[in-house]
């Protein structure tokens, strides 16, 4: 009987998990359902069972009206698996935890000062005496300025990205020099550059960078996203920019697609 590579019954490794921010601007489930139907265009696998963080910061005053169980069930019908809530008032924390959801405050630990009593002011008579004056120190010798931090290096992929593969460039740009097939998914916190045909899904600015862009030598994607704003192409990619070098960017709250050739001429 072959031996396991590890004698431990469990191993813990750091893994990258991408979660979609679902930012609520209404607590009305009917309005949320209608907006999701419009966003997905009736595509059943639009989200493909991805994790979701429910952000209620924009409606904190009416968040008490949210039926968390119903909201989680609604998101699940669109193949979004809610795992956490962000921006919820403290009074709702127990109700959120009771539904099996985590609380995400956007940091790696508890907020400073949370659940603590304020420190008592020191009495006036306990004030430390003023220090005695000291002679001015001699001028320090000049030192070299610290070197500027090196820019974040882009992730580079030189092999074809096949159906079912997902590549995530955390905190940087993603450069792909081979074809991206249907069913593949590219995700980057920065911009995405594909020096080959792009047929799968491309999500740039995944951490909220609205200035991120998607570039490709040949664009025929299934879905694109910039900073969480999505667009699908169920009726085909725009003919005027299909199969030619083009870029995708966010203009206001709208996905804009333009030919790189026309951009150069302008």
């Amino acid at each position: 009987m072959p031996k396991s590579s590890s004698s431990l019954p469990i191993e813990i490794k750091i893994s990258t998990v991408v979660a979609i921010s679902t930012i609520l601007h209404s607590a009305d489930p009917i309005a949320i359902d209608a907006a999701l139907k419009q966003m997905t265009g009736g595509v059943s696998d639009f989200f493909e069972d991805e994790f979701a963080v429910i952000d209620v910061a924009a409606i904190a005053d009416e968040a008490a009206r949210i039926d968390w169980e119903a909201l989680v069930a609604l998101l699940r019908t669109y193949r979004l698996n809610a795992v956490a809530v962000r921006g919820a008032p403290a009074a709702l924390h127990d109700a959120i935890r009771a539904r099996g959801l985590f609380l995400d405050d956007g940091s790696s630990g508890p907020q400073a000062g949370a659940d603590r009593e304020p420190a008592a002011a020191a009495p006036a008579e306990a004030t430390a005496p003023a220090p005695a004056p000291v002679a001015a120190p001699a001028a320090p010798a000049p030192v070299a300025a610290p070197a500027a931090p090196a820019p974040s290096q882009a992730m580079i992929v030189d092999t074809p990205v096949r159906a079912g593969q997902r590549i995530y460039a955390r905190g940087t740009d993603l450069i792909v020099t081979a074809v991206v097939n249907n069913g593949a998914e590219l995700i980057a916190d920065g911009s995405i550059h594909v020096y080959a045909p792009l047929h799968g899904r491309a999500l740039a600015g995944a951490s909220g960078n609205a200035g991120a862009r998607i570039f490709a030598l040949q664009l025929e994607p299934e879905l694109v996203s910039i900073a969480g704003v999505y667009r699908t192409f169920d009726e085909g990619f725009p003919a005027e920019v299909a199969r030619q070098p083009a870029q995708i960017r966010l203009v206001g709250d709208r996905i804009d697609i333009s030919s790189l050739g026309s951009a150069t001429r302008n």
Side-chain angles (χ1 to χ4, degrees), residues 105-240:
D105 64 3
S107 69
S108 59
Q111 297 177 352
D115 302 324
R116 294 184 182 179
E117 294 295 330
E125 58 271 20
T127 303
V134 296
V143 295
S152 178
Q153 185 175 1
M155 176 186 289
I156 301 176
V157 177
D158 292 323
T159 57
V161 186
R162 306 189 184 282
Q165 282 186 283
R166 171 182 287 181
I167 297 175
Y168 178 30
R170 177 183 291 277
T172 188
D173 289 357
L174 175 60
I175 299 174
V176 182
T177 62
V179 63
V180 179
N181 291 289
N182 289 323
E185 186 171 66
L186 306 179
I187 306 173
D189 288 341
S191 296
I192 295 175
H193 310 254
V194 180
Y195 298 108
L198 169 57
H199 298 298
R201 294 155 52 106
L203 299 84
S207 60
N209 178 10
R213 300 190 184 193
I214 300 170
F215 304 90
L217 290 185
Q218 183 177 317
L219 268 171
E220 288 186 293
E222 300 168 325
L223 175 149
V224 296
S225 169
I226 304 287
V229 178
Y230 288 82
R231 179 172 173 180
T232 57
F233 303 98
D234 299 325
E235 299 179 358
F237 199 71
E240 63 272 16

Side-chain angles (χ1 to χ4, degrees), residues 14-166:
I14 297 174
S15 176
T16 298
V17 178
V18 180
I20 292 178
S21 290
T22 55
I23 304 171
L24 298 188
H25 296 283
S26 170
D28 182 0
I30 297 176
I32 295 172
D33 187 20
L36 284 169
K37 284 180 181 176
Q38 181 179 12
M39 180 187 302
T40 60
V43 179
S44 60
D45 60 350
F46 188 89
F47 290 112
E48 297 186 338
D49 296 320
E50 289 162 296
F51 293 123
V53 176
I54 304 170
D55 192 329
V56 299
I59 58 167
D61 292 341
E62 55 178 314
R65 295 170 42 205
I66 296 176
D67 182 335
W68 297 104
E69 185 174 2
L71 177 58
V72 169
L74 172 61
L75 293 177
R76 192 177 295 119
T77 64
Y78 290 92
R79 297 183 64 179
L80 279 172
N81 297 308
V83 294
V85 177
R86 179 184 301 140
L92 300 181
H93 286 186
D94 289 342
I96 292 169
R97 290 192 186 99
R99 298 303 177 190
L101 299 169
F102 294 98
L103 294 168
D104 177 16
D105 64 3
S107 69
S108 59
Q111 297 177 352
D115 302 324
R116 294 184 182 179
E117 294 295 330
E125 58 271 20
T127 303
V134 296
V143 295
S152 178
Q153 185 175 1
M155 176 186 289
I156 301 176
V157 177
D158 292 323
T159 57
V161 186
R162 306 189 184 282
Q165 282 186 283
R166 171 182 287 181

